[in-house]
Amino acid sequence: MAFPPPNSLPWSPSVFTFLTPYLPPLPSPSTAREDGLISKTSTTPEKPFVTLTYASSLDSMLALQPGVQTVLSGPETKALTHFLRSKHDSILVGVGTVLADDPGLNCRLAGAGGYGNELSEPSAPGELKWQPRPLVLDPRGRWAVAAESKILRLAREGRALAPWVLTDLAFVDDERAELLEGCGGKIIPLASEEAGNFEWEDILQVLSSHGLQSVMVEGGAGVINGLLSAEQQALVDAVIVTIAPTWLGQGGVVVAPERRVDGKGSAVNAASLDKVKWQQMGEDVVVCGVLKK
Ligand SMILES: NC(=O)c1ccc[n+]([C@@H]2O[C@H](COP(=O)([O-])OP(=O)(O)OC[C@H]3O[C@@H](n4cnc5c(N)ncnc54)[C@H](OP(=O)(O)O)[C@@H]3O)[C@@H](O)[C@H]2O)c1
């Protein structure tokens, strides 16, 4: 493979300094990941640092309709997404996103592991120091893992880590497990109380037990709305949302978590941000913050 590969993204670290307060803590030299690499983060082992991040339209849509990949980010915010990927141990998406987009879930910044050797701390070709672990929430085994899936192809080509797929114990099957293991991935079996719906605490606990200390939750709407629910939002450490200057219109895939109810039974805002920073990048705007307690 030629280095850097032709679809590398050019970038400049100084453009992203505004993100620093919202990023996972810096690594300590002693933190080692299960795969033998040094972890990018050094938070407590009980729960990884959770960053919720996605690109939205002005009407809070992620896509034109379920199952349709919709480009929202401009080149600047696309590079931001890949910069964030380089700062996390893992990226998590729901199976709906994998089925709709066949995503790569890797970091394509020029110079990142698998993408050339131009940085001050270079990765050797094939060494995937900057690459996050792709994680797929697929409780009922709906993703028919195939050798030609983009994530698996990138892993075989040394341009991504292989995916780990979180699946309900009742839906683990040997064929999928073999395909994943063949490229260095695996199925992580997990118990669910309500069929196919994992508790977020269990998800995060199992990620910690596999040595992952930070996770960037990228979508789609089902996953984001779930994490923004009143019961789960305390698990989120940072929120970074790109807003593109367009309305996708009715019928799209919407980020709209359920409203909370106060002590008097009245509906109140579902969630709000604190420590807010707005930054324009190209034609998009990026809003960063932490969820108000
Ligand atoms: N603009 C962006 O930044 C962005 C980012 C990502 C995706 N997208 C778009 O979003 C759309 C997909 O969104 P989506 O809402 O349809 O799907 P999704 O959120 O990617 O996946 C939803 C599925 O994930 C599983 N899941 C979610 N929470 C779970 C939990 N707590 N425990 C166990 N499983 C859980 C469930 O699978 P089961 O149904 O099998 O139980 C659920 O139906 C696509 O069109 C994609 O292009 C946009």
Side-chain angles (χ1 to χ4, degrees):
M1 182 183 28
F3 279 88
N7 56 353
S8 311
L9 297 170
W11 69 296
S12 156
S14 61
V15 173
F16 300 117
T17 46
F18 73 95
L19 292 170
T20 306
Y22 308 98
L23 294 176
L26 286 170
S28 68
S30 58
T31 47
R33 298 197 324 206
E34 192 199 48
D35 53 14
L37 302 177
I38 298 300
S39 174
K40 293 170 190 163
T41 55
S42 62
T43 47
T44 68
E46 297 103 55
K47 182 186 93 58
F49 187 98
V50 178
T51 304
L52 190 59
T53 184
Y54 57 92
S56 150
S57 62
L58 289 172
D59 44 359
S60 197
M61 306 271 180
L62 297 185
L64 280 163
Q65 63 183 69
V68 171
Q69 187 176 22
T70 306
V71 175
L72 285 167
S73 303
E76 297 83 359
T77 48
K78 187 173 184 181
L80 172 136
T81 298
H82 285 258
F83 173 77
L84 288 175
R85 289 178 175 182
S86 79
K87 296 290 179 191
H88 290 78
D89 287 348
S90 56
I91 314 178
L92 182 146
V93 294
V95 63
T97 296
V98 173
L99 297 178
D101 297 355
D102 188 24
L105 301 180
N106 65 345
C107 167
R108 293 200 278 112
L109 294 184
Y115 280 84
N117 284 309
E118 299 148 14
L119 298 176
S120 52
E121 259 194 280
S123 305
E127 186 194 337
L128 300 176
K129 193 160 70 176
W130 284 51
Q131 295 296 339
R133 172 71 60 185
L135 304 167
V136 180
L137 269 190
D138 185 13
R140 294 177 287 159
R142 288 202 287 138
W143 178 32
V145 179
E148 58 275 13
S149 303
K150 192 170 178 188
I151 312 182
L152 268 60
R153 179 172 53 77
L154 290 173
R156 281 198 306 274
E157 292 172 357
R159 294 154 70 187
L161 295 179
W164 293 352
V165 182
L166 283 73
T167 299
D168 191 283
L169 285 165
F171 290 91
V172 173
D173 78 88
D174 292 345
E175 207 176 311
R176 282 180 358 124
E178 263 175 42
L179 251 173
L180 288 165
E181 283 160 19
C183 67
K186 62 182 167 187
I187 291 183
I188 299 181
L190 205 56
S192 60
E193 284 193 11
E194 197 186 315
N197 199 27
F198 303 136
E199 296 293 330
W200 274 97
E201 280 188 9
D202 293 344
I203 294 170
L204 297 179
Q205 200 273 330
V206 85
L207 301 188
S208 282
S209 72
H210 282 76
L212 299 176
Q213 298 191 7
S214 57
V215 57
M216 172 175 170
V217 178
E218 283 201 22
V223 167
I224 293 165
N225 289 330
L227 252 186
L228 284 175
S229 68
E231 301 75 34
Q232 311 301 336
Q233 54 184 252
L235 298 170
V236 177
D237 296 288
V239 177
I240 300 172
V241 178
T242 289
I243 302 168
T246 185
W247 290 265
L248 292 185
Q250 294 172 16
V253 177
V254 186
V255 173
E258 275 181 30
R259 287 192 188 147
R260 290 184 298 175
V261 176
D262 68 12
K264 295 176 193 152
S266 305
V268 292
N269 295 15
S272 301
L273 289 180
D274 208 353
K275 301 185 179 162
V276 178
K277 167 92 183 161
W278 293 87
Q279 178 81 32
Q280 182 160 357
M281 295 195 77
E283 293 189 344
D284 302 334
V285 69
V286 178
V287 58
C288 312
V290 297
L291 287 164
K292 278 187 184 161
K293 301 291 174 216

